[in-house]
Every structure is written in C-alpha cells, then in structure tokens.
Amino acid sequence: FLYLRGMIKLNEGDFHKAKSLFEKAVSKDPNFLEADTAKANCDKATTEKEQATDMFKRGSYQDALAKFTDCLSLFPDSKSYNS
C-alpha cells in the first residue's frame, strides 16, 4: 500500500513525498526491492536534475541535455515528470 501511494505521488511529481513513502515501505519490509529501487531513483533523479540545470545555466547545453535525458529515463511512465 505504501509503495502504491509512493508511485501515485511520484506520478503527481511530488518526489519528496514519494521518497518518504518508499522509505516507509522499505522500513516495514527491508526485502521490498521495488520500493528500495524507487527510493534510490528519486534521489538520483533529484541530484541529476539539479546537475543538469546547473549545466544548462553554464551554457553546457549538450551535457545538460544528456543529463536531463538520463533523468527522464529513471521514471519513463511519470507523466508529470516527463512533461
């Protein structure tokens, strides 16, 4: 249930809340690999998006595009994240 709520929040674009729900799911079941992976991907997406934004601001457009593309590939089904 926590994992599904996390996926809903993720699809709404609320990465902070999604990560929190994934963490709760993993704390209840440390072997819940899908929740653990989703949590890690939330962290990675946030970090990579910040890096891509910095690259873009510095004028490194090709590097920024590659980094943004990597971010989008983490959650390809998230309409709010990929729009």
Side-chain angles (χ1 to χ4, degrees):
F1 182 69
L2 291 168
Y3 174 75
L4 293 177
R5 286 179 50 208
M7 292 304 293
I8 290 168
K9 289 298 177 186
L10 179 72
N11 285 321
E12 291 174 352
D14 189 347
F15 276 69
H16 180 72
K17 183 65 176 176
K19 180 184 170 189
S20 174
L21 290 164
F22 295 142
E23 286 173 343
K24 288 178 184 176
V26 172
S27 73
K28 290 186 179 284
D29 181 359
N31 296 318
F32 195 171
L33 296 179
E34 291 89 351
D36 196 43
T37 299
K39 179 181 72 75
N41 283 345
C42 282
D43 288 335
K44 186 174 181 182
T46 301
T47 300
E48 289 193 3
K49 187 175 180 182
E50 289 170 1
Q51 291 172 350
T53 300
D54 288 340
M55 289 173 183
F56 183 82
K57 288 178 182 177
R58 289 192 317 264
S60 299
Y61 302 118
Q62 291 293 47
D63 292 335
L65 178 61
K67 187 64 77 171
F68 277 126
T69 301
D70 290 344
C71 290
L72 296 175
S73 70
L74 293 171
F75 299 107
D77 297 327
S78 175
K79 291 178 182 165
S80 65
Y81 188 65
N82 287 315
S83 59

